[in-house]
């Protein structure tokens, strides 16, 4: 099993930056993938970034490319989502999740249904 705990959300103004953290523990194999998802009220859950547990193969959705950056601190087994130039449209609950069944040829997988373990989420609110 993989345990995930997010933190770092909050209320910010448009244009500000914020860094979310996701602490992973348990069985954390390098071949697993970590995804950052967000879900706004009334909208589907959207994958905004993924990275392998090894810290390689970062992926960013077009909606956040150039503004968000996913990374990993290997020593601490912590994953980060650095968010800059935040917009009101980025307001959502943000989750990290682990995909333990992904194979290299299928990476990245963007469908939330492929992710087996989830954190509880951290709220990000961007005011205009």
């Amino acid at each position: 099993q993989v345990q995930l705990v997010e933190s770092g959300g909050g209320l910010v103004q448009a244009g500000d930056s914020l860094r979310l953290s996701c602490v992973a523990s348990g069985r954390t194999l390098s071949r697993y993938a970590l995804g950052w998802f967000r879900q706004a009220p009334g909208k589907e859950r959207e994958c905004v970034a993924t990275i392998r547990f090894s810290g390689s193969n970062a992926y960013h959705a077009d909606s956040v490319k150039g503004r968000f950056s996913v990374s990993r601190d290997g020593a601490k087994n912590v994953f980060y989502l650095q968010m800059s130039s935040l917009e009101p449209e980025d307001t959502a609950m943000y989750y990290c999740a682990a995909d333990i069944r992904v194979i290299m040829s299928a990476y990245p997988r963007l469908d939330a249904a492929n992710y087996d373990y989830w954190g509880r989420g951290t709220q990000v609110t961007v005011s205009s």
Side-chain angles (χ1 to χ4, degrees), residues 1-63:
Q1 286 191 342
V2 181
Q3 293 80 42
L4 302 168
V5 179
E6 307 97 334
S7 63
L11 172 62
V12 297
Q13 293 186 334
D16 285 351
S17 298
L18 205 58
R19 189 178 75 167
L20 305 184
S21 300
C22 173
V23 178
S25 60
R27 186 175 173 83
T28 56
L29 302 183
S30 61
R31 62 180 174 83
Y32 294 169
L34 189 286
W36 281 102
F37 290 79
R38 66 184 180 186
Q39 187 166 22
K43 294 189 177 181
E44 292 189 356
R45 193 165 291 192
E46 172 193 16
C47 181
V48 297
T50 68
I51 191 169
R52 304 298 289 251
F53 267 56
S54 64
S56 63
N57 303 108
Y59 161 87
H60 301 87
D62 288 343
S63 59

Side-chain angles (χ1 to χ4, degrees), residues 67-125:
R67 300 189 300 121
F68 290 13
S69 178
V70 61
S71 63
R72 172 187 179 252
D73 181 334
K76 300 178 182 178
N77 221 18
V78 179
F79 297 86
Y80 300 104
L81 184 67
Q82 179 67 48
M83 307 184 294
S84 60
S85 301
L86 283 163
E87 304 167 352
E89 293 73 22
D90 295 317
T91 295
M93 183 71 79
Y94 283 72
Y95 302 88
C96 61
D99 181 356
I100 67 171
R101 295 173 285 119
V102 63
I103 59 174
M104 192 61 191
S105 60
Y107 177 87
R109 301 205 293 182
L110 310 183
D111 188 340
N114 291 318
Y115 288 74
D116 301 286
Y117 298 99
W118 291 81
R120 293 188 174 185
T122 185
Q123 178 68 38
V124 173
T125 303

